[in-house]
Amino acid sequence: YQGKPADLVILHNITPLKEMINKLRESEEKYRNFFRASKDCVFFTTPEGKWLDMSDSAPGFFGYDSKEELAAVPIPELYENPEERRKDLNKIEEEGFSRDVPINLRKKDGTVIHALVTSQAIRDEQGNVVAYQGIIRDITDQKKNEELLRKSKKHLEETLTARDKFFSIISHDLRTPFNAIIGLSDFLRKEAPKMPAEEIASIAEDLYRTGQETYELLTNLLDWSRTVTGKIPVTPETFAVVDLIEDIRNLYLLFF
């Protein structure tokens, strides 16, 4: 240095700081893109229920024409039951957030939509809640599909129950003529050598008639099942109700 004063230069490596700033900017830009493009309703509100900001999709979500129109509506008025909002806010104040809370909301035209809301509290340095932010997802179609599935399942269960009951009745009714056939056949097998020919012929006639009518019953059941499943077309025909009643009476006398 030879006695000459020297300049003191202090260098700081600010590369990490610049990288962090750039990342924050990128993150903010991604968030803003999400905020603008989300199909769900993204929101910032005051604890009292006034809008601070909303996603571009929010007006359409509630059936309003613009952000300005929706912003004029207090948040509690969008709830079918405002008490739901109070319960949700209590949970957020206690735990800091809430996730997928089911709520019912009203659109501008009064239509009720089913939704899930996820939100969290924004606090100041003293820990006081100054705002809420979150996202609302419309699950109305999902609820409708779940209800349709529930009804379909119930209908299927009722159909299976009716089918089982039907087959139980058929099984019982078919057992009666077959019991008659088996009983008469067994009686003939044991007693025929000691019976007059006329009596044997009479019993044989009863067996034949019971077998024929049972066979016709089975044939009708088969035709009915094919009709129900659409395998054969239904051809409407006129008939006398009196004849139908007589057939039913004869069938009842045969089986019972």
Side-chain angles (χ1 to χ4, degrees), residues 220-231:
N220 291 336
L221 284 173
L222 180 59
D223 290 342
W224 174 82
S225 68
R226 289 174 175 172
T227 301
V228 171
T229 56
K231 294 181 179 180

Side-chain angles (χ1 to χ4, degrees), residues 7 13 18 22-23 27 73 76 86 91 103 108 116 132 146 169 192 197 201 203 206 209-211 216 231 236 248:
D7 294 330
N13 184 4
K18 293 188 68 175
N22 289 335
K23 288 182 179 179
S27 176
V73 181
R86 172 44 52 195
K91 179 179 176 62
I103 57 174
K108 181 181 178 181
L116 295 177
Y132 296 102
E146 289 175 354
I169 294 172
I203 294 176
D206 289 340
R209 181 169 55 85
T210 303
E216 290 177 5
K231 294 181 179 180
I248 295 174

Side-chain angles (χ1 to χ4, degrees), residues 60-114:
F61 188 94
F62 288 101
Y64 289 85
D65 297 325
S66 66
K67 289 185 177 181
E68 292 74 19
E69 185 182 16
L70 178 57
V73 181
I75 302 297
E77 293 184 12
L78 296 173
Y79 279 72
E80 182 183 36
N81 179 10
E83 184 60 25
E84 289 183 344
R85 181 173 186 268
R86 172 44 52 195
K87 290 180 180 179
D88 189 27
L89 295 186
N90 289 339
K91 179 179 176 62
I92 296 172
E93 290 174 3
E94 292 175 2
E95 302 180 12
F97 70 96
S98 65
R99 180 178 291 111
D100 290 339
V101 177
I103 57 174
N104 291 334
L105 301 170
R106 288 192 183 278
K107 300 178 70 171
K108 181 181 178 181
D109 62 3
T111 303
V112 175
I113 58 176
H114 304 287

Side-chain angles (χ1 to χ4, degrees), residues 13-46:
N13 184 4
I14 62 172
T15 300
L17 178 61
K18 293 188 68 175
E19 288 178 351
M20 184 175 69
I21 293 174
N22 289 335
K23 288 182 179 179
L24 287 173
R25 286 175 177 171
E26 290 176 2
S27 176
E28 181 181 5
E29 183 62 26
K30 288 179 181 179
Y31 179 76
R32 288 185 180 278
N33 289 336
F34 167 75
F35 195 80
R36 288 194 298 266
S38 175
K39 293 181 180 180
D40 300 324
C41 175
V42 184
F43 63 86
F44 283 90
T45 66
T46 67

Side-chain angles (χ1 to χ4, degrees), residues 6-250:
D7 294 330
L8 180 62
V9 178
I10 300 177
L11 300 177
H12 290 283
N13 184 4
I14 62 172
T15 300
L17 178 61
K18 293 188 68 175
E19 288 178 351
M20 184 175 69
I21 293 174
N22 289 335
K23 288 182 179 179
L24 287 173
R25 286 175 177 171
E26 290 176 2
S27 176
E28 181 181 5
E29 183 62 26
K30 288 179 181 179
Y31 179 76
R32 288 185 180 278
N33 289 336
F34 167 75
F35 195 80
R36 288 194 298 266
S38 175
K39 293 181 180 180
D40 300 324
C41 175
V42 184
F43 63 86
F44 283 90
T45 66
T46 67
E48 298 74 28
K50 295 182 179 180
W51 294 91
L52 294 174
D53 201 356
M54 66 183 73
S55 58
D56 293 345
S57 61
F61 188 94
F62 288 101
Y64 289 85
D65 297 325
S66 66
K67 289 185 177 181
E68 292 74 19
E69 185 182 16
L70 178 57
V73 181
I75 302 297
E77 293 184 12
L78 296 173
Y79 279 72
E80 182 183 36
N81 179 10
E83 184 60 25
E84 289 183 344
R85 181 173 186 268
R86 172 44 52 195
K87 290 180 180 179
D88 189 27
L89 295 186
N90 289 339
K91 179 179 176 62
I92 296 172
E93 290 174 3
E94 292 175 2
E95 302 180 12
F97 70 96
S98 65
R99 180 178 291 111
D100 290 339
V101 177
I103 57 174
N104 291 334
L105 301 170
R106 288 192 183 278
K107 300 178 70 171
K108 181 181 178 181
D109 62 3
T111 303
V112 175
I113 58 176
H114 304 287
L116 295 177
V117 59
T118 296
S119 52
Q120 66 178 23
I122 300 176
R123 302 179 184 272
D124 59 18
E125 294 180 355
Q126 288 73 40
N128 300 314
V129 177
V130 295
Y132 296 102
Q133 66 177 0
I135 185 169
I136 307 173
R137 174 159 297 168
D138 187 349
I139 61 168
T140 303
D141 289 341
Q142 177 183 331
K143 293 283 284 186
K144 288 180 179 178
N145 291 334
E146 289 175 354
E147 179 63 15
L148 180 61
L149 181 61
R150 186 191 67 79
K151 289 182 178 180
S152 298
K153 182 179 179 181
K154 182 179 179 182
H155 176 69
L156 178 59
E157 290 174 349
E158 291 175 348
T159 301
L160 292 175
T161 300
R163 185 203 64 179
D164 292 343
K165 185 176 181 181
F166 171 77
F167 283 118
S168 177
I169 294 172
I170 293 299
S171 176
H172 176 270
D173 289 348
L174 286 177
R175 194 176 291 121
T176 300
F178 279 116
N179 283 340
I181 292 172
I182 293 171
L184 288 173
S185 299
D186 186 56
F187 178 78
L188 280 179
R189 181 173 62 86
K190 295 178 180 177
E191 303 296 332
K194 298 178 280 185
M195 295 171 58
E198 295 80 7
E199 189 174 351
I200 294 175
S202 176
I203 294 176
E205 180 63 28
D206 289 340
L207 283 171
Y208 177 79
R209 181 169 55 85
T210 303
Q212 281 289 103
E213 293 182 352
T214 305
Y215 177 81
E216 290 177 5
L217 175 61
L218 292 172
T219 301
N220 291 336
L221 284 173
L222 180 59
D223 290 342
W224 174 82
S225 68
R226 289 174 175 172
T227 301
V228 171
T229 56
K231 294 181 179 180
I232 59 175
V234 177
T235 305
E237 294 182 0
T238 59
F239 61 91
V241 177
V242 175
D243 294 340
L244 176 61
I245 294 175
E246 184 63 23
D247 289 341
I248 295 174
R249 175 179 173 276
N250 293 335

